[in-house]
Amino acid sequence: MVDLAILSQALPAIGTAAVVTVALTLAASLISLVVGALSAAVQLGGGPIGYALSRTYVSLMRGTPLFVQLLVVYYGLPPIGIRGQAFLAAALAIGLNSGAYTTEILRAAILAVPRGQLEAATTIGLTWGKIWRRIVLPQAFVTSLPMLTAEFTIVLKSTPLASVIAVTEMTYTGVLIQSRTYSASEVFLTIAVGYILIAQVLMRLSRSLERRTRRLRF
Amino acid sequence: MPVSAIRAEGVSMDFGSLRVLHGINVDVSEGEVVAVLGPSGSGKSTLLRCLSWLTPPTEGAVYLQGERLGVAVAPDGRQSRLSAAKLARQRSRIGMVFQSFNLWPHLTVLGNITEGPVQVLGLRPGEARERAMTILETVGLAAKASAYPATLSGGQQQRVAIARALAMQPELLLFDEPTSSLDPELVGEVLDVIELLAARRTTMVVVTHEIAFASEAATRVIFMDGGRIVEDTLPATFFRDPAEERSRRFLERTLRRYAQFGSHRSAEG
Ligand SMILES: Nc1ncnc2c1ncn2[C@@H]1O[C@H](COP(=O)(O)OP(=O)(O)O)[C@@H](O)[C@H]1O
Ligand SMILES: [Mg+2]
């Protein structure tokens, strides 16, 4: 059944595409983390306007399909002068979408930081920004590491949607190969294994991070 | 004339419709050690939090070395809220130690102590570490510099919290029941540190239930009840001959409990 000749021909292309998938996952996760941290900070410490902004962002992202968001971003970039940047559009769309979930994850972890610690920081004379950056977020990051890993695994599994705007990540590459060779099972099974491997690396990384931050747990 | 370290003028505090502080006037001079006593719910913590502008009072003013906290007064007398940066700087001049230590668990002991000096006072990390180590010697915890708070006993954590406050070289220290959440056998080591500071004539306001500490180390006793200062006098006067019926009853109750469980000091020595 499985045609090894076709597979060995296809592997280099799938390998290159895997790099794109990893890059897209990392870029989108980074955007998700930065946007999520900002959004959570603004929601909890930015007064009524910050709260409203952050809640609106979260419900917009959660209330519309990622597929649609991807198209909106992709076709929204050229009018602001950014053309032919499918990868950037995909990273932005997936990252912004995930940022809504990261907001919620970090929000919960931030609220779990005891109030007394913030009061101590206030009496020391730390200002709002420094309290966030140096006291709240480091702890929130540590406590939410398992949840963030799960979220970034979802990011990885969202990357195939980027094929709709012709980003040559793994799934799109698989579709291209399959349309030339008509050997669907070889190609897509290989790709599935590829996703599992990447997810494994992600989880290993997270677990070693967790181990290294365990002494900071309380 | 003694220099006023901190002064509250007509400080009132409301939580919703509940008034928990009623126009408090108090003036603490440099070098004074004021013990604040009073039943639970009498407003002791709230007063300390107002004095440090951690929770600004509903009414009234607080002056740190004569400087108005939290309020900018223009030359023409007009008042406006002080900028966040300036307020933070004012707060950094008042050290506060909490019942629950409130150390930052993701930082080492040294990290907890150097955070303020580096981030607020702008000390170089090396300078801040040196300062922190000197203070850690004072509180007897130099060996724990690289430990994380979670690995320390309550008494050690509270001494680190005191060290953290001291590292800012504050003009005065406020303590809110610093030994109340400690196991009895750990109370002594924290009181020893506070008494050492008292001997060095550090200006302090200490909310406490430790009668022995109040009568021996304090230079002044304030007794609060129902959001008011009921008595403000010398420790000797307060403990021997309280002027008010309320203080008398409070003392009787506290001393009875004391006789039952004993002084932590006598338990120790
Ligand atoms: N954040 C708050 N919200 C509402 N009520 C409060 C708050 N903090 C304190 N109180 C009330 O104010 C009163 C004084 O409290 P507190 O200052 O903590 O007393 P003490 O420290 O003497 O035990 C109590 O009745 C308490 O319930
Ligand atoms: Mg209290």
Side-chain angles (χ1 to χ4, degrees):
Chain A
M1 264 256 344
V2 174
D3 189 332
L4 284 176
I6 291 178
L7 199 56
S8 65
Q9 271 184 320
L11 265 180
I14 293 176
T16 309
V19 174
V20 176
T21 291
V22 169
L24 186 55
T25 304
L26 289 179
S29 297
L30 188 68
I31 291 170
S32 168
L33 196 60
V34 172
V35 171
L38 279 176
S39 161
V42 156
Q43 181 174 140
L44 294 173
I49 296 171
Y51 180 85
L53 275 175
S54 171
R55 291 316 308 176
T56 308
Y57 158 67
V58 169
S59 47
L60 269 181
M61 289 299 154
R62 294 209 299 196
T64 53
L66 174 55
F67 193 80
V68 175
Q69 291 164 14
L70 199 59
L71 295 173
V72 169
V73 172
Y74 184 60
Y75 291 107
L77 286 181
I80 60 167
I82 301 168
R83 257 162 242 288
Q85 298 282 352
F87 181 89
L88 178 69
L92 264 179
I94 299 172
L96 286 174
N97 176 275
S98 166
Y101 298 91
T102 301
T103 299
E104 301 290 73
I105 292 168
L106 289 179
R107 193 183 87 99
I110 286 164
L111 289 174
V113 176
R115 227 191 133 65
Q117 285 185 33
L118 312 188
E119 294 187 338
T122 306
T123 62
I124 288 292
L126 291 174
T127 45
W128 192 84
K130 280 188 175 161
I131 294 176
W132 274 95
R133 265 183 289 126
R134 304 192 50 88
I135 307 296
V136 178
L137 288 179
Q139 293 186 64
F141 178 69
V142 170
T143 40
S144 58
L145 208 53
M147 298 275 280
L148 288 176
T149 308
E151 176 55 30
F152 298 153
T153 308
I154 295 174
V155 166
L156 165 67
K157 290 187 288 181
S158 310
T159 55
L161 280 178
S163 49
V164 72
I165 55 173
V167 175
T168 50
E169 45 67 57
M170 271 205 297
T171 304
Y172 186 55
T173 304
V175 171
L176 291 179
I177 294 170
Q178 189 271 339
S179 67
R180 269 191 283 111
T181 61
Y182 303 105
S183 49
S185 51
E186 287 88 347
V187 173
F188 292 123
L189 278 176
T190 307
I191 283 170
V193 171
Y195 282 110
I196 290 173
L197 289 179
I198 296 171
Q200 281 299 319
V201 171
L202 202 68
M203 270 186 280
R204 292 265 161 97
L205 268 176
S206 156
R207 248 182 252 134
S208 95
L209 250 181
E210 263 181 69
R211 258 198 307 280
R212 265 189 284 166
T213 53
R214 184 160 303 148
R215 66 205 168 104
L216 312 184
R217 279 165 191 279
F218 347 109
Chain B
M1 195 166 144
V3 182
S4 166
I6 199 152
R7 181 161 56 92
E9 262 183 27
V11 164
S12 293
M13 186 69 186
D14 297 339
F15 289 113
S17 59
L18 180 71
R19 174 148 291 202
V20 301
L21 289 180
H22 301 265
I24 300 277
N25 295 304
V26 65
D27 192 342
V28 176
S29 301
E30 273 181 12
E32 274 195 296
V33 177
V34 181
V36 180
L37 308 177
S40 167
S42 57
K44 307 181 296 295
S45 297
T46 307
L47 176 59
L48 279 202
R49 298 167 65 89
C50 288
L51 286 181
S52 63
W53 219 251
L54 190 54
T55 45
T58 316
E59 286 168 23
V62 176
Y63 298 87
L64 175 65
Q65 305 269 6
E67 180 185 323
R68 180 92 185 259
L69 283 187
V71 177
V73 184
D76 64 1
R78 259 195 300 184
Q79 301 183 354
S80 56
R81 242 168 74 176
L82 205 62
S83 75
K86 281 189 180 150
L87 175 57
R89 209 47 198 248
Q90 286 184 332
R91 284 182 175 133
S92 75
R93 295 161 55 194
I94 306 171
M96 188 141 176
V97 175
F98 303 85
Q99 181 177 340
S100 50
F101 329 135
N102 297 340
L103 295 178
W104 303 308
H106 61 299
L107 300 177
T108 61
V109 165
L110 201 61
N112 268 273
I113 301 173
T114 55
E115 182 70 13
V118 172
Q119 297 298 327
V120 178
L121 303 179
L123 262 64
R124 280 183 282 108
E127 285 176 280
R129 270 197 300 277
E130 250 172 62
R131 183 187 283 193
M133 287 313 297
T134 310
I135 297 170
L136 277 174
E137 305 273 356
T138 309
V139 303
L141 286 173
K144 295 288 185 185
S146 53
Y148 281 88
T151 65
L152 303 180
S153 74
Q156 291 171 330
Q157 288 191 49
Q158 193 59 299
R159 285 186 282 154
V160 173
I162 295 172
R164 175 175 66 180
L166 286 173
M168 298 300 289
Q169 302 185 335
E171 287 153 37
L172 80 158
L173 282 168
L174 308 175
F175 292 81
D176 192 0
E177 301 198 31
T179 60
S180 291
S181 61
L182 297 176
D183 290 335
E185 73 269 21
L186 301 177
V187 168
E189 65 189 54
V190 171
L191 288 183
D192 284 345
V193 170
I194 302 176
E195 279 171 18
L196 178 70
L197 296 175
R200 292 181 178 181
R201 314 226 9 101
T202 310
T203 313
M204 296 192 281
V205 179
V206 186
V207 173
T208 184
H209 292 298
E210 296 292 329
I211 298 293
F213 169 82
S215 69
E216 285 156 25
T219 60
R220 180 174 158 194
V221 169
I222 285 177
F223 176 72
M224 288 184 72
D225 195 18
R228 290 188 168 83
I229 291 180
V230 175
E231 252 180 277
D232 184 348
T233 181
L234 293 173
T237 315
F238 181 78
F239 289 107
R240 216 170 301 136
D241 184 24
E244 298 280 331
E245 182 56 29
R246 277 187 285 188
S247 347
R248 215 182 294 273
R249 278 203 307 272
F250 171 79
L251 265 181
E252 272 167 22
R253 267 201 316 275
T254 312
L255 288 173
R256 211 176 308 132
R257 220 172 31 222
Y258 220 65
Q260 213 169 338
F261 299 110
S263 149
H264 302 301
R265 288 319 174 68
S266 56
E268 199 182 73

